[in-house]
Amino acid sequence: GTADGKPLWRVKLGEELRGPLVALPGDLVAVLDPIGERLVVVAVANGAKRWELPLGDLWLSPPQVLGDSLLVATKSNRLLRVKASDGSIQAERRWPLWLTELAALRLGQQQALLVADITGQLTILDPQSLVTRRSFNLGRRMLPGLLLAPEFPVHFPQNLPDAGGDDEDLDTAIISRAGAARAPAVLAADGHGFLYVIAWAQLLQE
């Protein structure tokens, strides 16, 4: 208990667990069982197992929470939207290329679900159905860790080149010069020394 410093509870969920732990709505927490290749969710209050989900592989990165959903990407390029309360699969999609990142970003009431793959393509998905809304190619594989900056001091171009644009177009459209205006932006970096700034408004366009 809290007085003697001992754990409030302890529960064995598998032969091995892998973090980080992911906090879910409803006072739940998720953890990966890498040997069983499953996602296990327990109640914070007492450690009781609420549900588990076979993944068929390890997760690509820790699942993302968006509203009452849990977004999961596996190393075998499986995308899942799962109901956080009971683990039921709400949407599923198999990506044709190796995924490098899944990022659920939220700004106020606006939200965006992004996936990046090994070719450098960044795709915006509908958070509910996982259907592609828009995609464009940055030309180089992105490093993990997309960052949402709520106020970024740049002047953004009106249009962002779609997939297939050349480097010169991307350099002028995506890597924007500093200006007086401030607007939300997503920052990304590649393994070749380039930092990209992408207008949040561009990601939300249908």
Side-chain angles (χ1 to χ4, degrees):
T2 56
D4 56 19
K6 294 182 179 179
L8 297 175
W9 51 261
R10 186 177 73 167
V11 60
K12 186 173 178 62
L13 299 175
E15 294 303 315
E16 180 184 340
L17 297 178
R18 185 172 299 176
L21 302 177
V22 180
L24 307 183
D27 294 326
L28 303 175
V29 64
V31 66
L32 176 68
D33 169 12
I35 296 177
E37 296 182 339
R38 62 195 177 110
L39 190 66
V40 184
V41 174
V42 302
V44 173
N46 54 19
K49 186 167 72 173
R50 289 293 183 86
W51 55 267
E52 65 177 68
L53 177 67
L55 298 177
D57 203 344
L58 303 181
W59 65 32
L60 176 69
S61 57
Q64 304 278 306
V65 178
L66 201 59
D68 61 354
S69 296
L70 188 65
L71 289 308
V72 184
T74 72
K75 290 190 174 182
S76 55
N77 305 315
R78 185 185 182 198
L79 290 171
L80 297 165
R81 182 175 73 84
V82 179
K83 191 173 181 181
S85 60
D86 60 16
S88 58
I89 297 176
Q90 306 295 299
E92 182 173 0
R93 182 173 178 180
R94 182 76 67 171
W95 207 253
L97 301 168
W98 285 345
L99 291 170
T100 58
E101 182 165 11
L102 168 71
L105 305 178
R106 185 161 193 158
L107 183 65
Q109 298 301 312
Q110 298 177 322
Q111 56 188 21
L113 180 62
L114 290 75
V115 293
D117 64 40
I118 196 170
T119 68
Q121 180 161 289
L122 190 64
T123 303
I124 297 87
L125 304 179
D126 181 273
Q128 301 300 316
S129 65
L130 304 183
V131 171
T132 297
R133 283 182 172 175
R134 193 170 186 222
S135 64
F136 49 92
N137 201 323
L138 299 178
R140 300 176 179 90
R141 178 178 175 176
M142 294 293 101
L143 299 176
L146 292 171
L147 174 67
L148 174 59
E151 292 189 6
F152 200 83
V154 296
H155 171 70
F156 290 113
Q158 295 299 312
N159 298 303
L160 188 67
D162 290 322
D166 59 33
D167 284 349
E168 184 177 354
D169 290 338
L170 290 169
D171 287 344
T172 56
I174 300 176
I175 309 175
S176 304
R177 294 183 178 180
R182 289 182 175 268
V186 173
L187 282 70
D190 65 25
H192 299 271
F194 285 89
L195 180 67
Y196 302 79
V197 180
I198 307 170
W200 174 254
Q202 298 288 345
L203 300 180
L204 299 180
Q205 287 183 354
E206 297 291 341

